[in-house]
Amino acid sequence: MQPVRGTKDLIGDAFRRHHHVVETARHVTGLYGLEEWATPIFEATGVFARTLGDTSDVVTKEMYSFEDRGGDSVTLRPEGTAGICRALVSNGLTQGGLPRKVFYAGPMFRYERPQKGRYRQFHQIGAEILGAAEPLADAEVIACGWQILQHLGIDDGVVLEINTLGDAPSRDAYRAALVAYFTAHRDKLSADSQTRLEKNPMRILDSKDAGDKALVADAPTIFEHLTPEAATFFEKVLGHLDRFGVPYRKNPRIVRGLDYYSHTAFEFVTDRLGAQGTVMAGGRYDGLVQEMGGPATPSVGWAAGIERLSELLAETPEATRPVAVIPVSEAEEGPALALLQMLRASGVPAEMAYKGNLKKRMERANRIGAQAAVILGESEVAENVVLVRNLQDGTQERVGIPGLLSALAAAGVVDAMLEQVVEGLELVAEDGEEEN
């Protein structure tokens, strides 16, 4: 049996890279006051079909939709924002306490041709600020994304490209200009873009077809059709980005072609991933919550592919290196188990092989990359000491059990963060020494 095409297992280095991206994003979004939400991986099909647009590739070609046994149409989520907005409405959170600042992470599903950085089950992190109409919200959520890239060490060579979709009057004027331009070149458009011309001409700007791209290069830009209010909003966003220290360049071809998108649209792009150059993308979607049946709720956010971010990491995070507890014989297994749990309770990763003589247990300690071996023989148990062998440099010493954590910390085996609790743990050990 093999994994289904377009899916993959996350094991070893792959999982550590994945986990590092999520934990880094979780930390940084916490600095910005975002609360983590988790929504179901499948929703009623209407949550996506209604909000992503009936001309989008996701809805027309890529959704995993099916009838469940009750006859309801459900869909594995192809993206995260729609579910977050649905949760805001269905949990009654639009009535007060806005804005809500939300972080999410998890698997998404799209039926598309698998390639590097793109899978049928893929994973995203995302950030949303729900219920904030101010340009500062746009800039802050972008700054949060930029800081995540910085913390991951992958910001070098990544560029923020930003555009505005304007307000409703701006988009109406721009759509009319696009229709006039593309109608004059209709015979050169791809079949998909000819359909988009009738239903949503702004979607043509996002076409991947080579012929469409050639036409798009000479198409009008929205900058020529912005109302004064929309132009002011965009300038305020850029001004806040300058204050946050986020570098950017304007790109009038970045669009979000659905009616509920407005004002800011942006992508973080790189040339280090081949064709799949976008690592994080988002925008303002002031009408989406209303599409879900809630009140008008101005919102802005982004999503990023974890697989793509993982590929950009310069190094794979190190696997946890435990301390190996090694009883010399079966007679010392009882005290060894007590020591094993003491280490774990103190926050020190620790393992003990289930069987084997001293040689075999030492071999396993080396195989799992243990930092140190804590060895208990008959004499060590009698004297309430252990033999600590540093597997990084080969040195070893006999240490009293109450001072074990201090010895491990001094040898650089125990993380420095544990040093602050060592003193208290030693006092506890000394108080209970006679009973033990």
Side-chain angles (χ1 to χ4, degrees):
M1 300 293 289
Q2 296 296 320
V4 174
R5 185 169 184 250
T7 67
K8 70 171 187 175
D9 301 311
L10 292 173
I11 296 172
D13 286 357
F15 181 82
R16 283 192 289 277
R17 293 169 84 91
H18 179 104
H19 180 72
H20 179 61
V21 169
V22 174
E23 288 303 303
T24 300
R26 186 170 281 137
H27 169 70
V28 174
T29 55
L31 299 178
Y32 282 74
L34 275 68
E35 176 186 25
E36 186 167 0
W37 289 9
T39 60
I41 64 168
F42 62 91
E43 301 266 4
T45 297
V47 168
F48 305 112
R50 180 178 174 183
T51 59
L52 297 180
D54 57 8
T55 62
S56 72
D57 286 347
V58 174
V59 171
T60 59
K61 302 175 183 179
E62 298 171 0
M63 292 205 313
Y64 280 93
S65 299
F66 55 94
E67 276 195 10
D68 65 14
R69 294 186 179 185
D72 296 320
S73 179
V74 297
T75 296
L76 298 180
R77 62 184 182 196
E79 55 89 44
T81 303
I84 294 295
C85 290
R86 190 272 311 148
L88 185 80
V89 175
S90 60
N91 287 281
L93 302 177
T94 61
Q95 304 305 312
L98 294 178
R100 293 273 181 166
K101 302 168 78 172
V102 180
F103 167 71
Y104 65 85
M108 312 293 166
F109 306 85
R110 295 185 188 179
Y111 188 86
E112 52 187 350
R113 184 170 64 85
Q115 54 186 290
K116 183 179 180 181
R118 175 178 286 181
Y119 301 91
R120 290 178 176 174
Q121 176 179 310
F122 58 101
H123 301 80
Q124 286 186 339
I125 53 173
E128 318 287 355
I129 300 180
L130 307 160
E134 295 75 18
L136 179 56
D138 304 52
E140 186 177 47
V141 81
I142 292 171
C144 178
W146 177 242
Q147 192 165 342
I148 290 171
L149 300 180
Q150 290 179 308
H151 277 233
L152 289 171
I154 61 177
D155 54 302
D156 185 34
V158 175
V159 178
L160 168 63
E161 296 190 340
I162 190 167
N163 189 26
T164 178
L165 306 177
D167 50 18
S170 302
R171 288 193 303 280
D172 289 343
Y174 186 41
R175 279 197 197 95
L178 288 177
V179 168
Y181 172 78
F182 286 120
T183 298
H185 301 87
R186 184 184 181 92
D187 58 332
K188 298 178 183 177
L189 289 173
S190 66
D192 283 345
S193 287
Q194 288 183 20
T195 300
R196 291 167 181 152
L197 179 60
E198 302 297 330
K199 296 185 176 182
N200 201 332
M202 289 181 69
R203 294 281 304 170
I204 300 174
L205 301 178
D206 200 31
S207 173
K208 304 300 185 289
D209 179 85
D212 291 344
K213 286 183 176 181
L215 292 174
V216 166
D218 295 322
T221 72
I222 197 168
F223 296 140
E224 305 151 19
H225 302 86
L226 291 176
T227 63
E229 295 80 9
T232 297
F233 188 99
F234 189 48
E235 288 306 313
K236 285 184 177 180
V237 172
L238 299 183
H240 289 315
L241 288 177
D242 289 334
R243 296 180 187 95
F244 280 127
V246 181
Y248 59 84
R249 68 184 176 207
K250 297 179 186 178
N251 181 350
R253 303 307 177 194
I254 294 177
V255 297
R256 298 289 181 268
L258 307 180
D259 287 342
Y260 53 75
Y261 281 105
S262 61
H263 293 294
T264 313
F266 61 91
E267 296 179 359
F268 285 95
V269 298
T270 180
D271 59 4
R272 290 157 57 194
L273 289 172
Q276 301 303 316
T278 301
V279 296
M280 184 180 289
R284 175 164 284 279
Y285 49 93
D286 287 352
L288 182 52
V289 174
Q290 200 165 14
E291 284 281 339
M292 295 289 182
T297 307
S299 304
V300 62
W302 53 256
I306 297 174
E307 283 81 2
R308 296 182 189 179
L309 296 175
S310 296
E311 287 183 32
L312 291 172
L313 294 177
E315 298 178 353
T316 299
E318 274 194 26
T320 300
R321 299 185 63 195
V323 169
V325 176
I326 299 178
V328 172
S329 68
E330 188 175 342
E332 289 81 44
E333 281 192 355
L337 286 173
L339 183 59
L340 184 71
Q341 291 304 89
M342 185 202 83
L343 289 169
R344 289 169 173 169
S346 303
V348 179
E351 286 197 37
M352 189 177 89
Y354 297 123
K355 63 179 182 178
N357 57 24
L358 176 62
K359 180 182 178 182
K360 288 190 177 297
R361 290 180 194 255
M362 285 298 300
E363 287 174 350
R364 172 169 169 76
N366 286 314
R367 190 166 63 250
I368 64 175
Q371 299 182 75
V374 176
I375 304 168
L376 291 89
E378 183 178 358
S379 62
E380 283 80 19
V381 171
E383 298 172 31
N384 201 33
V385 300
V386 291
L387 181 64
V388 178
R389 182 175 300 174
N390 189 323
L391 299 180
Q392 300 173 100
D393 59 19
T395 59
Q396 62 184 37
E397 62 176 328
R398 285 166 68 87
V399 176
I401 288 178
L404 174 59
L405 289 175
S406 287
L408 292 173
V413 172
V414 176
D415 192 287
M417 288 191 302
L418 291 175
E419 292 184 28
Q420 60 185 318
V421 300
V422 164
E423 183 178 347
L425 289 169
E426 287 178 358
L427 289 174
V428 171
E430 288 168 2
D431 287 344
E433 190 170 345
E434 286 187 12
E435 293 180 8
N436 291 338

